[in-house]
Amino acid sequence: MAAHKPSNIRPADDVDALKDAVAALEAGEIVGMPTETVYGLAADATNGEAVARIYAAKGRPSFNPLIAHVADLAAAERLVVFDAVSRRLAEAFWPGPLTLVLPKRPDAGISDLATAGLDTLAVRMPSHPAAQALLKAFGRPLAAPSANRSGHVSATTAGHVAADLGRRVAIVLDAGPSHVGVESTILAATPTGLALLRAGGLPRESIEAVAGMPVERVELDDPEAPTAPGQLVSHYAPGAMVRLDAVEVLAGEALIAFGPTLPRHAELASAVINLSPRGDLIEAAARLFSALRELDGKAATIAVAPIPAKGLGEAIVDRLRRAAAPRPA
Ligand code: TXA
Ligand code: MG
């Protein structure tokens, strides 16, 4: 391997760069996308393996739910159900630095990994022309967290993205510095009103003026923290018990397997899903949440075969531990 690799930074207004970015997204790769807030690390939100590559590239130790970016309101309507107030806010502030957390439509087609198994979906219509061009050319929603390695600050230039993520991203579209520079404001409609999940590029006062109601601040210690969404919306957890590192299956348990070798007595399992028979952690991550959903209700306990806690495996094991933890009453 040569020490010098050509830069993957390409001008966002270059027609060929845009075509290459769309081709990369179609191939399930990830692309650095300029937005008015911060640069995003974009992947096809409908493709579980592509979404898994986002978490792998970020080095995220857990699966935080991701924002689905759309080109227009019609695309958002296909993903989530708007209440009257949320629609008014979308009409007033989109495109722009506002993310709305709304009930996900059952036929939204968004990968379970992108929502971390939640029944809600965060949607946002960015105003940046480069983001708009990419979304329109691709034609499907893009899942995109901020384009930084986990624990680092958000990237506001293409150079930051490349420095943080290097070749983990196929192409970084360069449109100069993000002009808002802080992430979008995240708002959730709750049965009792509006909750501010993250302060961001759109001031709370502007939201209150249009909504005609106060916006209640839900204190989130760290926007990157995996517990963040759990404070408001119920985080998906199976009703079944989850037993980790199972080297053998007990009668009647459901089994989540991983790799070519099954635990002992796998034949006793009431149902078996192998996250990746070839032991691929990207494939396993993409299947994790749907596997939990599918096996839930089929047994009182889901036994999970040992999964190596390295690379994406760390996030898989973290999420399984959370699924195994008792829920507050
Ligand atoms: O400005 C932005 O929002 C940037 C650009 C790229 O669009 N994106 C961004 O994404 O900041 P990220 O992944 O770094 O932060 C998204 C936050 C996370 O804290 C996540 O927990 C929360 O949104 N979130 C996503 N889906 C959620 C949901 N269904 N319920 C509650 N919180 C959610
Ligand atoms: Mg972030």
Side-chain angles (χ1 to χ4, degrees):
M1 280 286 243
H4 176 79
K5 290 177 179 174
S7 170
N8 52 357
I9 299 181
R10 309 269 301 273
D13 57 6
D14 180 287
V15 182
D16 289 328
L18 182 65
K19 270 192 198 145
D20 290 348
V22 169
L25 291 170
E26 268 159 8
E29 294 180 64
I30 53 182
V31 166
M33 170 174 72
T35 88
E36 70 279 17
T37 56
V38 297
Y39 275 69
L41 198 56
D44 181 351
T46 68
N47 175 341
E49 294 196 19
V51 172
R53 286 196 186 96
I54 293 178
Y55 295 102
K58 278 193 72 100
R60 240 182 206 174
S62 68
F63 298 127
N64 231 1
L66 302 175
I67 298 170
H69 296 69
V70 293
D72 49 43
L73 188 56
E77 302 261 17
R78 289 195 286 273
L79 304 179
V80 291
V81 180
F82 282 82
D83 57 89
V85 174
S86 299
R87 184 184 310 273
R88 198 152 75 236
L89 292 170
E91 281 165 356
F93 297 115
W94 280 0
L98 172 67
T99 294
L100 294 169
V101 173
L102 294 168
K104 186 176 66 131
R105 288 191 188 278
D107 59 350
I110 299 289
S111 134
D112 276 341
L113 187 59
T115 57
L118 295 171
D119 293 328
T120 55
L121 177 68
V123 282
R124 156 164 140 73
M125 188 202 303
S127 64
H128 197 294
Q132 281 283 334
L134 186 63
L135 285 162
K136 289 209 175 91
F138 185 55
R140 286 198 289 280
L142 289 174
S146 51
N148 51 284
R149 290 278 289 172
S150 185
H152 292 193
V153 295
S154 297
T156 52
T157 68
H160 293 163
V161 182
D164 237 28
L165 294 151
R167 309 302 295 190
R168 294 181 186 91
V169 26
I171 292 176
V172 184
L173 294 174
D174 185 356
S178 296
H179 65 263
V180 175
V182 295
E183 297 89 342
S184 61
T185 300
I186 304 181
L187 204 61
T190 72
T192 55
L194 292 171
L196 186 67
L197 298 187
R198 178 176 75 184
L202 181 67
R204 183 217 302 238
E205 293 77 6
S206 312
I207 297 168
E208 289 177 333
V210 168
M213 61 170 81
V215 172
E216 157 211 0
R217 175 80 210 239
V218 177
E219 216 41 67
L220 302 181
D221 33 348
D222 172 7
E224 295 263 338
T227 51
Q231 304 198 358
L232 186 77
V233 261
S234 128
H235 215 161
Y236 178 73
M241 308 271 295
V242 175
R243 189 167 70 82
L244 299 179
D245 294 321
V247 291
E248 67 178 349
V249 177
L250 307 176
E253 285 182 329
L255 172 65
I256 290 183
F258 175 79
T261 315
L262 296 181
R264 286 195 305 277
H265 306 309
E267 73 283 356
L268 295 179
S270 57
V272 181
I273 294 179
N274 196 330
L275 294 179
S276 173
R278 60 191 157 98
D280 180 299
L281 289 166
I282 298 239
E283 183 180 44
R287 291 188 183 162
L288 175 64
F289 289 103
S290 48
L292 283 170
R293 271 177 197 266
E294 208 175 311
L295 293 182
D296 199 11
K298 293 202 172 143
T301 301
I302 302 171
V304 183
I307 295 174
K310 60 173 167 48
L312 258 198
E314 193 182 347
I316 295 173
V317 170
D318 169 275
R319 193 62 193 80
L320 284 165
R321 287 218 176 93
R322 285 167 197 283
R327 305 192 72 186

